[in-house]
Amino acid sequence: MDSSGMLRALLLVAVLCVTCRGQSSQEVSEEDSGLGRAGPAADRDLVAALQALLRGRSRDPSEEKRGSIALCGVGDRCAMKFGPRIGKLCDCGRGANCNSYLLRCI
């Protein structure tokens, strides 16, 4: 490409930039911004939904799971290998840990 072709291309890009810049709108409607007020009834509904959600999450899900897993004795199998993952069979008693290599309580 010769220098006059590059100059024409550069001039064309400059003209396009100048004309496109003037067409963009600076106004943002209330619907587009999401800042519009829905009213007090919608606010009350939102507060009620959030309170119901917080009441439902008051119980700790780990406590529910822990209650359903049986206790193992020392030397018992406490886990099972499923490919790259290890599944938990039971919890070791107090003072014992589940060895991830042997998969037994030690």
Side-chain angles (χ1 to χ4, degrees):
M1 201 173 203
D2 58 342
S3 62
S4 63
M6 288 182 70
L7 183 62
R8 287 183 193 155
L10 185 61
L11 185 60
L12 179 65
V13 169
V15 169
L16 286 174
C17 288
V18 169
T19 57
C20 290
R21 180 180 286 178
Q23 292 181 5
S24 66
S25 174
Q26 297 297 326
E27 294 180 22
V28 177
S29 69
E30 208 173 279
E31 294 172 359
D32 293 339
S33 67
L35 297 176
R37 296 296 302 168
D43 289 342
R44 276 186 258 121
D45 291 342
L46 182 61
V47 168
L50 287 174
Q51 286 175 346
L53 180 68
L54 289 174
R55 268 188 253 119
R57 296 187 74 193
S58 64
R59 288 177 286 172
D60 191 15
S62 64
E63 290 176 1
E64 294 172 5
K65 288 182 182 177
R66 208 172 277 148
S68 65
I69 296 178
L71 289 176
C72 300
V74 176
D76 292 341
R77 288 186 62 96
C78 57
M80 185 173 283
K81 192 159 174 87
F82 298 107
R85 296 176 293 168
I86 295 177
K88 196 169 189 179
L89 296 175
C90 56
D91 276 334
C92 296
R94 181 170 264 193
N97 292 324
C98 188
N99 187 314
S100 61
Y101 182 72
L102 299 173
L103 305 176
R104 295 190 181 274
C105 289
I106 54 172

